[in-house]
Amino acid sequence: MKQEIKKNDSYEIYVDKTKNRFYIKFIGYWQDPSEVPDYLDDHKKALGFLSSGFTVLTDTRDMKTPPPKIMELHGKGLQMLNDAEMGKLALVVEQAIVGIGGRRATREAGLEETTRQFNDIKEAEDWLDGKDV
């Protein structure tokens, strides 16, 4: 069962302790990190509920292409996931440009091998659950 960590106009973070899963949904356009001052703290809070090998479902379908300062912030969030010994990350994208940015960010964070992109949230969930998709 999902437990809400943070829900605001910019992002939503949930954890499912049973599945050992971190859920994050990005919303809209972030111009500057000052618009999301608790973003990394919310990552840290969510990670406190999970154990190594956890999986991540990132939903970017409602996200607008971020500027470089925000990509850097996302990179820090990804590094936190990597440092906490994440297992797999599923990135759900609809816009090609967001997918390109996602690939770049996961590559720079050293998560390329454990990340897969999807355009369907159910397929992403199934993959994280170990099903063939």
Side-chain angles (χ1 to χ4, degrees):
M1 186 168 120
K2 289 184 190 176
Q3 174 183 341
E4 182 180 304
I5 302 298
K6 179 60 112 355
K7 184 176 181 178
N8 59 34
D9 292 340
S10 301
Y11 61 92
E12 297 175 9
I13 295 177
Y14 301 88
V15 294
D16 185 326
K17 292 186 268 187
T18 305
K19 287 188 170 192
N20 199 30
R21 185 159 301 151
F22 183 112
Y23 291 88
I24 186 161
K25 178 179 183 172
F26 296 113
I27 304 164
Y29 180 72
W30 306 359
Q31 269 188 313
D32 191 84
S34 64
E35 296 173 33
V36 287
D38 299 328
Y39 177 69
L40 295 177
D41 288 338
D42 292 334
H43 266 66
K44 185 176 180 178
K45 183 177 178 184
L47 290 169
F49 292 98
L50 303 170
S51 55
S52 65
F54 65 94
T55 57
V56 179
L57 194 147
T58 303
D59 183 352
T60 67
R61 294 174 299 165
D62 295 329
M63 175 186 197
K64 303 293 182 232
T65 307
K69 283 191 276 189
I70 297 300
M71 285 303 293
E72 187 178 314
L73 181 66
H74 287 313
K76 289 178 182 175
L78 286 167
Q79 191 58 54
M80 290 175 75
L81 299 176
N82 197 21
D83 291 347
E85 301 177 8
M86 178 195 78
K88 297 192 294 188
L89 185 147
L91 185 62
V92 182
V93 298
E94 280 186 351
Q95 302 172 51
I97 191 73
V98 173
I100 292 166
R103 278 192 293 279
R104 180 176 151 226
T106 55
R107 182 179 62 247
E108 289 175 0
L111 301 173
E112 213 171 9
E113 297 298 315
T114 56
T115 301
R116 189 163 158 194
Q117 286 193 11
F118 298 87
N119 58 14
D120 180 84
I121 202 123
K122 170 113 175 60
E123 279 185 20
E125 247 334 314
D126 286 348
W127 180 70
L128 291 173
D129 289 341
K131 297 175 184 169
D132 288 334
V133 291

